[in-house]
Amino acid sequence: MKNDSRRSFVKKLGLGIGSTAILPTVTSFKTFSEKSRSPLGVKKLNVALCGLGRYANMLATGLMESEYCQLSGIITGTPQKALLWKEKYKIPEQNIYNYNNFDDIKNNNDIDLVYIVLPNGMHKEYTIKAAKAGKHVIVEKPMAISVLECQEMIDVCKNAGVQLAVGYRLHYEPHHIEIKRLGQKKVFGQVRLIEASLGYDLTGTPPNDWHLNKVLAGGGALMNLGIYCIQSNRYVLGEEPSSVTAQFAPITMPDLFTEVEENISWQLNFPSGAIGTSTTTSNCNVDRFFASADSGYFELAPAISYGPFKGRTSVQEFNYPVINQQAAQLDGIGKLLLEKRSLPSHISGEEGLKDIRVIEAIYKSAETENKIYISN
Ligand code: NAD
């Protein structure tokens, strides 16, 4: 009973660990063949999805709703998926690639941007391949599994003259735009304390799932979920943490967590004196954000997963619409690229690297049981 409800919660969150990749249940949408135009009057930005797993399905739904982008190509190692997606989205045969012929994408003018939705440990390789093929890149979070990898990705994209973004969807979500404003504009004065935690109960996950594999995932809950807590701390405060102390908690599912951490908690210290305290875990469900400032507070719960988000400040409830977060993110990025403008710094590779720098410091602190100072 408990495990059933746990599994359904995970499914509801869209993480779907252990489930088979399915096609989105979209009933009507504009397909690639319609070559629809963006509100700018020019053809939409042509996006190819690389890796057709669970989150790629959500992005495909977002692309169907996007005003500025369209799904024009796919990269997959599974011929059966290629066939299903080709039929479902009317993707031309010449825009379908696998991991062996990926580099040929450089000759394809029908693809402007490659969206990397592969396991974390593969982000660097495929970002670099896409950049060298002359395509703009969006890479999912975490940007990569080390600062060194992130820097290499940034450098290659710069040298190739393509733009690089990290798939930080929450920068396009109204509740998060508001908490960022409340924090950075000091609407309730200086934020002193943030508590942000994210966890999914992964009971029942198959032991061969890549999230449990150190090479493919780069780490456990911190890499996959905790990164959102770090992001929200940083964008609400508008500051970089100067030091961290962190602790691993005991493993409760020893059969699953042989390579990556199941739980980790940490405290970030910021130059303003603000403290950010977080836990990320794979053994229970938690999704909340709370900020206490000099003259009030603001909070979200659910806060980070796919929502619908709910929140309030110390004086009023939030009343923002539920949006398709992926469509909003793709529209924000697509519009700027069609206008040949630079993407904003808050979704840049440099931003992705900053989160990984904090993650590396958190791991180092937990491993050494020491406070770690972070140089920015
Ligand atoms: P998934 O396991 O559902 O999909 C991964 C895809 O990669 C699959 O299609 C799989 O076939 C393919 N793949 C290719 N080589 C592989 C290999 N060696 N091992 C395993 N899979 C391989 O995973 P997902 O949940 O879609 O996550 C993909 C990426 O998207 C991750 O980086 C994850 O952090 C990110 N993500 C982001 C969000 C978000 O809200 N922004 C949500 C979920 C996942």
Side-chain angles (χ1 to χ4, degrees):
M1 181 75 173
K2 191 176 175 208
N3 283 354
D4 281 354
S5 65
R6 284 173 166 186
R7 269 193 286 275
S8 70
F9 185 87
V10 171
K11 230 171 166 179
K12 193 174 135 212
L13 290 172
L15 192 69
I17 291 211
S19 66
T20 316
I22 47 157
L23 285 167
T25 51
V26 179
T27 46
S28 73
F29 49 75
K30 294 186 182 76
T31 62
F32 174 71
S33 60
E34 290 172 63
K35 291 214 166 37
S36 46
R37 292 189 173 265
S38 74
L40 300 170
V42 297
K43 233 175 72 181
K44 289 182 175 182
L45 193 84
N46 288 313
V47 174
L49 292 175
C50 177
L52 304 181
R54 289 168 285 254
Y55 195 59
N57 278 279
M58 297 187 75
L59 289 168
T61 306
L63 281 162
M64 295 308 117
E65 286 189 26
S66 170
E67 290 190 275
Y68 292 91
C69 298
Q70 63 183 348
L71 177 59
S72 59
I74 47 176
I75 299 105
T76 175
T78 313
Q80 193 202 3
K81 276 192 214 167
L83 200 60
L84 284 168
W85 280 64
K86 176 187 167 179
E87 284 173 9
K88 179 87 178 179
Y89 298 109
K90 308 283 179 284
I91 296 172
E93 185 64 38
Q94 68 271 19
N95 292 357
I96 299 176
Y97 294 86
N98 57 49
Y99 299 113
N100 297 323
N101 66 11
F102 183 102
D103 295 334
D104 296 345
I105 214 164
K106 67 175 179 294
N107 303 317
N108 191 331
N109 293 329
D110 270 345
I111 293 171
D112 304 310
L113 180 147
V114 178
Y115 198 137
I116 313 292
V117 212
L118 290 165
N120 312 337
M122 300 172 76
H123 288 182
K124 183 191 96 168
E125 180 184 355
Y126 284 89
T127 293
I128 288 177
K129 276 174 175 285
K132 287 190 170 167
K135 307 301 175 189
H136 299 302
V137 184
I138 306 176
V139 60
E140 256 316 313
K141 49 57 56 180
M143 176 177 172
I145 60 174
S146 72
V147 167
L148 272 180
E149 285 196 352
C150 294
Q151 191 59 58
E152 196 180 337
M153 292 155 77
I154 292 167
D155 293 344
V156 170
C157 288
K158 203 168 278 174
N159 289 338
V162 301
Q163 297 207 50
L164 170 63
V166 182
Y168 286 141
R169 60 184 159 81
L170 294 174
H171 285 279
Y172 298 90
E173 199 288 325
H175 296 80
H176 280 263
I177 292 170
E178 178 61 0
I179 61 169
K180 183 173 168 179
R181 185 187 75 85
L182 292 172
Q184 290 199 16
K185 299 279 182 210
K186 300 190 179 0
V187 173
F188 293 98
Q190 172 66 45
V191 172
R192 302 284 172 192
L193 171 70
I194 295 178
E195 291 178 356
S197 289
L198 185 62
Y200 294 146
D201 184 343
L202 299 190
T203 307
T205 300
N208 64 351
D209 190 287
W210 68 262
H211 292 85
L212 305 171
N213 176 304
K214 175 86 172 155
V215 173
L216 287 171
L222 179 57
M223 274 284 175
N224 286 308
L225 308 176
I227 188 168
Y228 286 105
C229 305
I230 297 165
Q231 258 278 299
S232 58
N233 271 247
R234 290 181 50 246
Y235 59 68
V236 166
L237 290 166
E239 291 180 72
E240 297 305 320
S242 47
S243 64
V244 62
T245 50
Q247 311 82 37
F248 293 119
I251 292 175
T252 64
M253 292 181 274
D255 293 347
L256 293 184
F257 290 90
T258 57
E259 297 190 20
V260 298
E261 82 282 357
E262 180 186 301
N263 315 289
I264 187 166
S265 303
W266 65 92
Q267 302 81 43
L268 294 173
N269 296 301
F270 289 85
S272 62
I275 300 165
T277 173
S278 297
T279 294
T280 187
T281 175
S282 303
N283 76 16
C284 72
N285 300 311
V286 55
D287 182 1
R288 65 186 294 268
F289 172 95
F290 176 87
S292 178
D294 284 341
S295 60
Y297 70 85
F298 45 99
E299 65 180 336
L300 297 175
I304 294 168
S305 194
Y306 307 125
F309 299 146
K310 284 206 176 88
R312 65 193 59 77
T313 70
S314 38
V315 292
Q316 63 185 25
E317 298 285 317
F318 285 147
N319 186 20
Y320 296 110
V322 176
I323 60 159
N324 182 312
Q325 296 179 31
Q326 291 73 29
Q329 173 205 351
L330 286 155
D331 274 343
I333 292 173
K335 181 171 186 289
L336 290 175
L337 289 178
L338 288 174
E339 292 172 337
K340 306 211 179 311
R341 288 164 60 194
S342 298
L343 296 178
S345 59
H346 56 250
I347 55 159
S348 64
E350 286 79 1
E351 180 68 22
L353 180 149
K354 286 177 187 169
D355 283 336
I356 302 299
R357 180 186 288 145
V358 178
I359 284 179
E360 286 186 350
I362 292 172
Y363 279 137
K364 193 169 173 194
S365 174
E367 280 156 13
T368 61
E369 299 183 359
N370 280 321
K371 181 172 185 170
I372 300 297
Y373 290 89
I374 306 170
S375 50
N376 294 291

